Amino acid sequence: MPMHSGFEDYLDIPGGDDFAEVTDLFVAGAQDMEPEEVLLMDGFTLMDAMSAFEIGEPRLDSGMILEEQRRPPFDPLTPLLPEEVCWILDRSFACEMEWHAGKTLSQSVFTILFVHHLPDINPEYLPPEEDEDPARPRWLITVVIRAAMLGLLKCCDFAWRELSKNRVHDIEDWQGEKCDVSLLEGVNSDLIMHLLDTASDWVQQSDLSDAQIDALCDRLYLRKTLLALYKLDLLKGVDQLWYHTTVGRELIDRMRTPDNPIPPDSSVHLAMDAYIARRLPNFMPIRITEIPPLGQIWDSLDAFLEFWAEIGHLVASPSLSLWKTAGQLRYSLHKRPACAFHRSLLQTLFFDKELVFGTYRPTRLVEQFFYETIGIPYPAITQAFKRSGPANPPASMQDVVERRIIRLMVPHIRSYWYNPPRRRRHLMKEVLQWHMLYDVMLKDVETHEPPDAETAAILRAVPLTARIWRLEQCREVILAGFQQELYAPEERPIAYWYLARVLDQHIACIEDVLPSVARDSGAYSELSFQADHLAALQMISTALIALTSMYITSTWKRISINFKRRYKWVLDPEFKTLTPAHPLPDLLSFPSMLDELLQDTLYSPSRTFELAENIAHRLSESPQEAVSHWDRDRRQYLRNLADACDRLKRGTPDSLIELPNLNVKTLKWIPDVHPWFPTVASA
């Protein structure tokens, strides 16, 4: 079978193609063998055979074809009905989405045999056909299917180029093995778009019925739309992006018609070979995957285009806080993760070739960092330092701070589009870096003597920016542990305890910096929102310390060892050389805090959850103008938080006196219900 999918003629197989079929010879020879009998050649023992299996060579038995897997040879020029052509085109979209979902090309796109036979269906190489069936014209294959397959491969080529930039990780996030099959790397995309237009013209000028013409043209237009999106320069064509995504989603809605099943005996089924990996250079084990139902195909493709539209909103919003908010909400809403291609594309769009947001120099990050965190323009900050600095200031200090911010900010924003475990590991390492930045800023401020109250307020606020970001990352690391179900039951009360301490410090830090922030600035609005939001989280965490305390059954020594392992990111020895990083990971203070909490007979977990629920409801009803396009997502996050509080409120005691009556087994952590907080089974 030809494996070359370009435009050149099929080349002879090295060694010739006059192979002899030997299956019958082996079958005849095996008839004289007894069950479990093994034939071994000289120098190859049973141990050698078992070692091959133990090593796990994935292609060891790839050539074995069971009787039920045998099928007639595929003829790419077998005439097809328009409905069968639509069936193939629908499967091409499904296979593309399956690749983006993490399957290999040999399990998805390459299972469509037409992609391996493009030279065989090139109309330039075929003689005119005599006695053509009007219901099955050959041009449906040589013009329509060929153009669609070329478009499919070129879309995969554009995606592969982006994915191979090492923003995401091969095998961990996506599968990049091409199996020596061309993705039309050397073919101009404009030529393929022209072939798609030509195919649409052939369909529209044909004698097919109106319904058949519409069905074929919709699929060709959708492929052309996807190809236009892949090749689009998003930094220069946001309007075109929104246009293409709108058109694409409208086409999908038109194609959401009841699926007319293709008869099982139709020859079109031979165009799909789930076992194609047997005949491809492939290092992966052969795994057979089913094509999803047609409705699921369109849902996946619609979500694919929807996220592309969200990318357009991010590109049009060169703001650190908006990019951060968009990434946080996708995690906290426990949305279906974006595909690796989109995650890689976002990281490239944020910072690539020494430019931020495709337009600005990296120093733009420093300006946005201060202005969006504390509402003070960076020039005002530099002027305040000049007014209060020594007569001969160290010229390098400002450069040191700027370099640290840039070096921290680029991977930090990109990390919102890492896979969840990798993102958590990155944030764990980042916590120390933020505190080192805080330490540098604090020591720099101490060398200055502000001449007036306004300058003093600016100097006092500057180090707090790094502290705010450090506390935020601490919170994200702890919450990600719940979302990824990392904590053992007895670790949960300690996790909620340390989370509550982090939230306390974060709220106090915001209260310290708010007097220095202009009330009419976006930073003041966001800081005020966060103060209320963090207060709700702090209330929930404190109540859960009491409710989960019964999980603690191990010895103190065992708890201490687990704590050191789980919180090694805040126990790094380098912290001891810096300004104390409050809240300190002082596990010795946990027992006394827990005893004090449990002895407070007036403390009511259910009323605490109710108060947190009221805060979340109030915030969800207020306009979230600061987050622009993500207003709806933030409101949904707050409603989800309120719902979690409502479930806990209805299933927990009114007083800690009733705590022994709570069956701790009724607390269930279900990330799909809420990523961080439990629900009560009886509620």
Side-chain angles (χ1 to χ4, degrees):
M1 182 186 70
M3 294 302 166
H4 188 282
S5 53
F7 293 94
E8 297 79 10
D9 290 326
Y10 170 56
L11 301 176
D12 289 341
I13 297 176
D17 56 3
D18 53 342
F19 295 102
E21 175 62 53
V22 296
T23 302
D24 294 337
L25 178 64
F26 282 106
V27 171
Q31 288 177 352
D32 297 331
M33 296 178 63
E34 296 295 328
E36 300 184 4
E37 184 179 353
V38 180
L39 289 179
L40 298 174
M41 66 183 197
D42 293 339
F44 189 84
T45 66
L46 180 61
M47 180 64 70
D48 295 324
M50 297 305 296
S51 297
F53 279 102
E54 184 177 350
I55 292 170
E57 166 56 47
R59 293 168 292 178
L60 189 65
D61 61 349
S62 63
M64 180 178 178
I65 302 178
L66 302 178
E67 190 60 36
E68 61 271 16
Q69 296 172 1
R70 295 185 181 278
R71 46 196 287 152
F74 171 66
D75 180 4
L77 292 175
T78 301
L80 298 175
L81 291 167
E83 292 76 15
E84 294 172 325
V85 174
C86 288
W87 186 88
I88 284 290
L89 300 188
D90 289 345
R91 267 62 197 170
S92 73
F93 292 116
C95 290
E96 183 182 7
M97 291 301 102
E98 288 298 285
W99 180 50
H100 282 301
K103 295 182 173 63
T104 63
L105 285 167
S106 60
Q107 293 171 330
S108 54
V109 174
F110 293 164
T111 61
I112 307 175
L113 297 186
F114 280 108
V115 305
H116 306 287
H117 287 270
L118 290 176
D120 297 332
I121 60 176
N122 190 332
E124 296 181 6
Y125 303 154
L126 297 173
E129 185 178 21
E130 298 180 0
D131 302 325
E132 183 178 72
D133 184 352
R136 296 175 171 86
R138 191 168 70 178
W139 58 262
L140 283 176
I141 296 172
T142 60
V143 176
V144 175
I145 288 183
R146 179 170 174 268
M149 294 302 106
L150 292 172
L152 168 64
L153 290 174
K154 197 61 186 177
C155 285
C156 292
D157 175 40
F158 278 124
W160 197 94
R161 294 185 196 189
E162 175 58 49
L163 288 163
S164 61
K165 293 179 179 178
N166 292 326
R167 314 285 190 219
V168 290
H169 299 266
D170 192 6
I171 300 179
E172 182 178 325
D173 295 298
W174 69 293
Q175 303 292 338
E177 175 57 39
K178 294 184 182 182
C179 304
D180 289 347
V181 177
S182 169
L183 295 181
L184 307 185
E185 293 87 348
V187 180
N188 192 295
S189 59
D190 291 335
L191 172 61
I192 297 177
M193 296 186 78
H194 172 71
L195 293 175
L196 288 166
D197 287 334
T198 301
S200 298
D201 292 340
W202 273 73
V203 172
Q204 291 171 348
Q205 296 170 16
S206 69
D207 295 329
L208 301 177
S209 68
D210 290 343
Q212 291 171 333
I213 291 174
D214 289 342
L216 287 168
C217 286
D218 285 348
R219 285 155 177 80
L220 290 170
Y221 289 154
L222 182 56
R223 175 53 63 194
K224 181 182 176 182
T225 298
L226 287 173
L227 184 54
L229 281 169
Y230 277 110
K231 66 173 292 187
L232 183 64
D233 184 349
L234 298 182
L235 297 171
K236 299 179 181 178
V238 175
D239 292 338
Q240 294 181 49
L241 180 144
W242 286 327
Y243 169 77
H244 290 312
T245 53
T246 301
V247 169
R249 299 183 74 182
E250 289 176 353
L251 289 170
I252 291 171
D253 289 339
R254 290 179 57 177
M255 290 187 287
R256 286 182 185 273
T257 55
D259 186 17
N260 296 322
I262 301 297
D265 59 349
S266 172
S267 61
V268 75
H269 292 290
L270 297 177
M272 302 291 295
D273 184 3
Y275 295 91
I276 188 62
R278 285 179 175 145
R279 291 179 278 176
L280 298 175
N282 182 29
F283 70 92
M284 298 291 288
I286 295 177
R287 292 192 178 94
I288 307 307
T289 58
E290 295 292 331
I291 297 295
L294 191 58
Q296 188 175 333
I297 294 172
W298 301 134
D299 290 341
S300 298
L301 194 51
D302 187 73
F304 190 70
L305 291 173
E306 180 184 8
F307 193 79
W308 223 318
E310 183 170 334
I311 291 175
H313 288 287
L314 282 170
V315 171
S317 308
S319 163
L320 288 177
S321 58
L322 288 180
W323 280 66
K324 179 180 73 172
T325 299
Q328 283 179 333
L329 288 173
R330 181 155 287 274
Y331 278 102
S332 56
L333 285 174
H334 208 62
K335 282 187 175 182
R336 176 181 176 180
C339 68
F341 166 72
H342 281 149
R343 292 191 281 116
S344 175
L345 182 61
L346 276 167
Q347 295 177 54
T348 300
L349 290 171
F350 175 70
F351 182 80
D352 190 37
K353 297 178 181 178
E354 302 299 327
L355 291 178
V356 180
F357 305 119
T359 305
Y360 305 100
R361 302 300 302 171
T363 51
R364 170 82 173 190
L365 294 175
V366 181
E367 298 169 1
Q368 296 292 100
F369 170 75
F370 286 109
Y371 184 71
E372 295 181 21
T373 305
I374 56 177
I376 302 175
Y378 188 53
I381 293 174
T382 56
Q383 289 298 321
F385 273 84
K386 287 180 181 179
R387 289 196 301 271
S388 56
N392 297 310
S396 62
M397 182 54 68
Q398 182 177 338
D399 294 337
V400 168
V401 170
E402 289 182 357
R403 284 197 302 270
R404 283 181 177 269
I405 291 173
I406 294 169
R407 195 165 58 245
L408 270 170
M409 194 58 62
V410 171
H412 176 78
I413 297 298
R414 282 179 168 176
S415 72
Y416 288 107
W417 288 277
Y418 294 170
N419 61 59
R422 187 170 288 276
R423 175 177 179 260
R424 183 175 183 272
R425 292 194 296 270
H426 172 78
L427 294 182
M428 289 166 62
K429 298 174 183 176
E430 201 177 82
V431 168
L432 174 60
Q433 300 301 317
W434 282 113
H435 191 62
M436 292 172 70
L437 176 62
Y438 170 74
D439 185 71
V440 170
M441 289 179 170
L442 192 63
K443 290 178 178 177
D444 188 23
V445 167
E446 289 174 353
T447 64
H448 291 68
E449 296 181 1
D452 51 59
E454 180 182 355
T455 303
I458 293 175
L459 296 185
R460 187 169 56 251
V462 166
L464 294 179
T465 55
R467 191 175 177 209
I468 287 173
W469 280 73
R470 193 257 301 176
L471 292 168
E472 183 176 313
Q473 306 332 309
C474 290
R475 182 188 79 224
E476 292 290 314
V477 171
I478 300 170
L479 292 177
F482 286 103
Q483 192 160 357
Q484 296 170 33
E485 301 179 86
L486 299 180
Y487 300 123
E490 65 180 8
E491 288 184 291
R492 290 168 184 158
I494 295 176
Y496 284 123
W497 161 74
Y498 194 61
L499 174 62
R501 295 187 65 199
V502 168
L503 293 169
D504 273 337
Q505 289 291 325
H506 199 168
I507 295 169
C509 190
I510 290 175
E511 291 174 349
D512 287 344
V513 80
L514 267 179
S516 306
V517 183
R519 288 181 171 269
D520 58 348
S521 65
Y524 188 90
S525 174
E526 182 64 14
L527 287 170
S528 300
F529 166 83
Q530 290 297 340
D532 292 340
H533 165 234
L534 297 176
L537 293 180
Q538 197 274 343
M539 293 175 190
I540 300 170
S541 302
T542 302
L544 286 173
I545 298 171
L547 297 181
T548 59
S549 60
M550 289 180 285
Y551 279 124
I552 301 178
T553 58
S554 297
T555 63
W556 184 250
K557 182 179 179 181
R558 178 75 259 175
I559 292 173
S560 300
I561 293 173
N562 289 344
F563 183 83
K564 290 178 181 178
R565 290 176 177 174
R566 182 66 69 190
Y567 297 92
K568 58 186 177 183
W569 48 279
V570 287
L571 293 169
D572 192 301
E574 287 195 51
F575 277 105
K576 296 180 181 180
T577 64
L578 306 171
T579 304
H582 297 290
L584 299 174
D586 180 16
L587 183 61
L588 295 176
S589 65
F590 173 72
S592 59
M593 182 283 309
L594 182 60
D595 288 342
E596 184 179 348
L597 176 63
L598 295 178
Q599 291 172 11
D600 186 355
T601 56
L602 299 179
Y603 183 79
S604 170
S606 63
R607 287 198 294 272
T608 301
F609 290 129
E610 183 178 10
L611 181 57
E613 178 187 8
N614 293 337
I615 294 174
H617 267 308
R618 174 173 58 79
L619 292 175
S620 70
E621 293 169 357
S622 305
Q624 302 293 321
E625 297 175 356
V627 292
S628 183
H629 170 74
W630 293 269
D631 171 87
R632 182 178 62 181
D633 284 351
R634 179 178 270 187
R635 288 172 183 261
Q636 183 61 52
Y637 159 75
L638 293 167
R639 286 192 292 268
N640 292 351
L641 186 62
D643 291 343
C645 293
D646 180 63
R647 290 189 294 268
L648 288 167
K649 174 187 68 178
R650 291 185 285 111
T652 52
D654 288 332
S655 169
L656 290 182
I657 297 176
E658 305 171 17
L659 186 60
N661 298 328
L662 175 67
N663 182 1
V664 74
K665 294 182 180 180
T666 62
L667 294 176
K668 304 293 183 182
W669 279 259
I670 309 173
D672 288 337
V673 176
H674 197 276
W676 309 326
F677 303 127
T679 186
V680 182
S682 59

